[in-house]
Amino acid sequence: MASSNHLKLLGGWFSPFALRVKIALSIKSLVYEDIEEDTLNSKSQLLLQSNPVHKKIPVLLHGDKPICESRIIVEYIDEVWNSGPSILPSDAYDRAMARFWAAYIDDKLCVAMRHALREEDEQARKAYLEEIEDSLATMEGELQKRCREGKGYFGGEEIGLVDITFGSLLCWVSVLETMNGRKMIVEEKHPCLVKWAERFEFDPNVKGLIPETEKLIEFAKALLMMLKAAAAAK
Amino acid sequence: MASSNHLKLLGGWFSPFALRVKIALSIKSLVYEDIEEDTLNSKSQLLLQSNPVHKKIPVLLHGDKPICESRIIVEYIDEVWNSGPSILPSDAYDRAMARFWAAYIDDKLCVAMRHALREEDEQARKAYLEEIEDSLATMEGELQKRCREGKGYFGGEEIGLVDITFGSLLCWVSVLETMNGRKMIVEEKHPCLVKWAERFEFDPNVKGLIPETEKLIEFAKALLMMLKAAAAAK
């Protein structure tokens, strides 16, 4: 039986969703057991028991209690521990806006990225890449408002929910850029995003946690081959 | 210029998402201006200004501040006003679980319902109806845990986030049942859900807010014809 405060993260080095949880744990200076799930080949009994509905990483185990879904885990960490800066704003309206943009990133950007990665038809893939660029333009517009107020993060002076949700995807944007020979976050169009992305990657709570693009590309290729084989076997 | 506490809801009588906001406002005994958007024909300037990203109802205007996305609005109402019972649990873990199930309802049940409504191919529609039934079985299992603790709602003794999120869809489940001649929430399979649905519909904060199934069916038919015409014009 685990102590009621012991923290275990069921994650994967490649997962932007597990990365969100790692950053939140780092912001709160929390020590945790980092359990690498081999989701490509087989899911552990612990994962299947802890997230029987979605059977997906990440899961945070707080003692015996499993918490699932990355943004819900980040909010939980913020609400339970005050051993570091707040991740969500203290004002209710600002908090609603942070939740709005975090949901936008998952519902629009993230969905388009998943399609762009898996789509084999070039024309269809191009349309998804354009959707990604539309979302990036929207986020640049939002960030420019913060920049005008002299703030470097969506969350203000420090990394917040929107920075974590969006920043965790940057390494996968690089993967798509490399695989498609198309730069998507560029200085001329996204002056604020470019600076923000650099600031984010070198933030003490993020540095060292982001996987290398080359390794992610290898992983992506293996994943795509597996999906193709699974589709062919149907 | 609106007073900073004036509440306006940009909604639609047919919308389960606007219904969620109405129930939350009722729980907190809040008075609001109920603005009916004609989303089938044209969207008001106020809606387009207030929700430029998604251009969708519902939007709650609190003074001049717009809040979008139904679950985010419900959380906002709960955080700002204590003029009625809490909608989210006070314990952080219970809160994370409520958010988990509310997200599940939108990501699984709601998505399958939207597909089932729009799908013309009978085989494909049948598959979506089966997905809906899977989600209903999952929710029945979850509710049975509450029933065993002697509680009538997902939220415990009173209506909470999960009840609002799920309950707002019940009238649209009836629409799908009637349009497809297939009962989906049934006593033998869902003894707890059947009782919960009755309790929900007659709750003082819900009664009178749920649209009639017959009117919704007419609306659904008009919507489907419009979507078909729009697709044909492409």
Side-chain angles (χ1 to χ4, degrees), chain A residues 57-68:
Chain A
I57 58 164
V59 177
L60 182 70
L61 282 154
H62 185 192
D64 295 320
K65 292 179 177 169
I67 306 113
C68 307

Side-chain angles (χ1 to χ4, degrees), chain B residues 50-111:
Chain B
S50 306
N51 190 358
V53 174
H54 300 299
K55 303 176 179 67
K56 276 185 190 166
I57 57 163
V59 177
L60 182 71
L61 281 153
H62 185 192
D64 295 321
K65 292 178 176 170
I67 306 112
C68 308
E69 301 283 66
S70 66
R71 285 188 286 130
I72 294 173
I73 303 172
V74 171
E75 285 216 39
Y76 177 79
I77 291 170
D78 196 39
E79 289 175 1
V80 172
W81 287 278
N82 52 17
S83 46
S86 288
I87 297 171
L88 272 92
S90 58
D91 174 77
Y93 184 73
D94 293 341
R95 210 154 48 238
M97 291 309 290
R99 288 180 181 136
F100 173 84
W101 286 110
Y104 172 83
I105 290 159
D106 277 352
D107 296 344
K108 298 287 174 189
L109 179 60
C110 215
V111 169

Side-chain angles (χ1 to χ4, degrees), chain A:
Chain A
M1 187 104 172
S3 122
S4 66
N5 271 319
H6 186 81
L7 289 171
K8 265 184 205 159
L9 171 63
L10 313 186
W13 65 270
F14 54 86
S15 164
F17 309 105
L19 178 56
R20 292 173 181 176
V21 181
K22 287 177 188 171
I23 295 170
L25 290 165
S26 170
I27 289 173
K28 301 290 182 176
S29 305
L30 296 168
V31 176
Y32 61 99
E33 195 180 331
D34 189 4
I35 301 179
E36 189 72 20
E37 285 284 331
D38 179 11
T39 49
L40 274 199
N41 297 300
S42 76
K43 296 179 181 187
S44 74
Q45 264 313 102
L46 186 58
L47 175 61
L48 298 175
Q49 275 165 20
S50 306
N51 189 359
V53 175
H54 300 299
K55 304 178 178 69
K56 276 185 190 166
I57 58 164
V59 177
L60 182 70
L61 282 154
H62 185 192
D64 295 320
K65 292 179 177 169
I67 306 113
C68 307
E69 301 283 65
S70 65
R71 287 188 285 131
I72 294 173
I73 302 172
V74 170
E75 286 215 41
Y76 178 79
I77 291 171
D78 196 39
E79 289 174 3
V80 172
W81 287 278
N82 53 16
S83 46
S86 288
I87 296 171
L88 272 92
S90 58
D91 174 77
Y93 185 73
D94 294 341
R95 209 156 47 238
M97 291 309 290
R99 287 179 182 137
F100 173 85
W101 286 111
Y104 172 83
I105 290 159
D106 277 351
D107 295 344
K108 298 288 173 188
L109 180 60
C110 215
V111 169
M113 285 176 68
R114 185 173 295 130
H115 282 302
L117 186 69
R118 296 181 181 195
E119 182 59 62
E120 292 186 39
D121 177 77
E122 211 177 312
Q123 270 313 96
R125 193 166 62 244
K126 215 180 135 204
Y128 289 126
L129 294 172
E130 280 162 13
E131 273 183 38
I132 294 171
E133 287 174 334
D134 286 346
S135 290
L136 293 172
T138 301
M139 295 310 292
E140 169 70 21
E142 195 49 30
L143 189 57
Q144 285 187 2
K145 294 182 200 163
R146 298 291 164 288
C147 290
R148 281 197 291 273
E149 297 163 2
K151 290 167 183 168
Y153 285 117
F154 288 94
E157 318 285 342
E158 311 217 40
I159 283 186
L161 178 69
V162 183
D163 301 285
I164 295 174
T165 309
F166 187 11
S168 65
L169 299 171
L170 286 171
C171 48
W172 278 97
V173 171
S174 299
V175 168
L176 285 169
E177 287 181 328
T178 308
M179 286 174 88
N180 292 287
R182 172 176 178 150
K183 199 87 182 124
M184 290 192 286
I185 301 184
V186 287
E187 183 75 40
E188 308 86 69
K189 283 192 201 168
H190 315 101
C192 289
L193 275 189
V194 166
K195 283 195 199 81
W196 165 81
E198 258 184 46
R199 200 176 297 124
F200 180 82
E201 282 172 32
F202 287 99
D203 187 282
N205 290 311
V206 176
K207 218 179 152 183
L209 293 177
I210 299 179
E212 286 168 28
T213 306
E214 282 312 308
K215 273 183 73 183
L216 282 180
I217 290 175
E218 268 175 54
F219 174 84
K221 286 181 181 163
L223 175 72
L224 292 175
M225 269 177 58
M226 234 188 63
L227 291 173
K228 218 168 164 173
K234 261 188 188 167

Side-chain angles (χ1 to χ4, degrees), chain B residues 146-172:
Chain B
R146 298 290 164 289
C147 291
R148 281 196 290 272
E149 296 163 4
K151 290 169 183 166
Y153 285 118
F154 288 95
E157 316 287 340
E158 309 217 41
I159 283 187
L161 178 69
V162 182
D163 302 284
I164 296 174
T165 309
F166 187 12
S168 65
L169 298 172
L170 286 172
C171 47
W172 279 96

Side-chain angles (χ1 to χ4, degrees), chain B residues 7-227:
Chain B
L7 289 171
K8 263 185 207 157
L9 171 63
L10 313 186
W13 64 270
F14 55 86
S15 163
F17 308 106
L19 178 57
R20 291 172 182 177
V21 180
K22 288 176 187 172
I23 295 170
L25 290 166
S26 170
I27 289 173
K28 301 289 182 175
S29 306
L30 295 167
V31 176
Y32 61 99
E33 195 180 330
D34 189 5
I35 300 179
E36 189 71 21
E37 286 283 332
D38 179 11
T39 51
L40 274 199
N41 297 300
S42 76
K43 295 179 182 187
S44 74
Q45 264 314 103
L46 187 58
L47 176 61
L48 298 175
Q49 277 165 19
S50 306
N51 190 358
V53 174
H54 300 299
K55 303 176 179 67
K56 276 185 190 166
I57 57 163
V59 177
L60 182 71
L61 281 153
H62 185 192
D64 295 321
K65 292 178 176 170
I67 306 112
C68 308
E69 301 283 66
S70 66
R71 285 188 286 130
I72 294 173
I73 303 172
V74 171
E75 285 216 39
Y76 177 79
I77 291 170
D78 196 39
E79 289 175 1
V80 172
W81 287 278
N82 52 17
S83 46
S86 288
I87 297 171
L88 272 92
S90 58
D91 174 77
Y93 184 73
D94 293 341
R95 210 154 48 238
M97 291 309 290
R99 288 180 181 136
F100 173 84
W101 286 110
Y104 172 83
I105 290 159
D106 277 352
D107 296 344
K108 298 287 174 189
L109 179 60
C110 215
V111 169
M113 285 176 68
R114 184 173 295 130
H115 283 301
L117 186 69
R118 298 181 179 197
E119 182 59 60
E120 293 186 38
D121 178 78
E122 209 178 313
Q123 269 313 96
R125 193 166 63 245
K126 213 179 137 204
Y128 289 126
L129 293 172
E130 280 162 12
E131 272 183 40
I132 295 171
E133 288 175 332
D134 286 346
S135 290
L136 293 172
T138 301
M139 294 311 293
E140 168 71 20
E142 195 51 29
L143 189 58
Q144 286 188 0
K145 292 182 201 164
R146 298 290 164 289
C147 291
R148 281 196 290 272
E149 296 163 4
K151 290 169 183 166
Y153 285 118
F154 288 95
E157 316 287 340
E158 309 217 41
I159 283 187
L161 178 69
V162 182
D163 302 284
I164 296 174
T165 309
F166 187 12
S168 65
L169 298 172
L170 286 172
C171 47
W172 279 96
V173 171
S174 297
V175 169
L176 285 169
E177 286 180 330
T178 309
M179 288 176 86
N180 292 286
R182 173 174 177 151
K183 201 88 185 119
M184 290 192 286
I185 301 185
V186 286
E187 182 75 40
E188 308 84 71
K189 282 190 197 167
H190 314 102
C192 290
L193 275 189
V194 167
K195 284 197 199 79
W196 165 82
E198 260 185 42
R199 201 175 295 126
F200 180 81
E201 281 171 33
F202 288 98
D203 188 281
N205 290 310
V206 176
K207 218 180 154 181
L209 293 176
I210 299 179
E212 285 167 32
T213 306
E214 283 312 309
K215 275 184 71 184
L216 282 180
I217 289 174
E218 269 174 53
F219 174 85
K221 285 181 181 161
L223 174 73
L224 292 175
M225 269 177 59
M226 235 189 64
L227 290 173

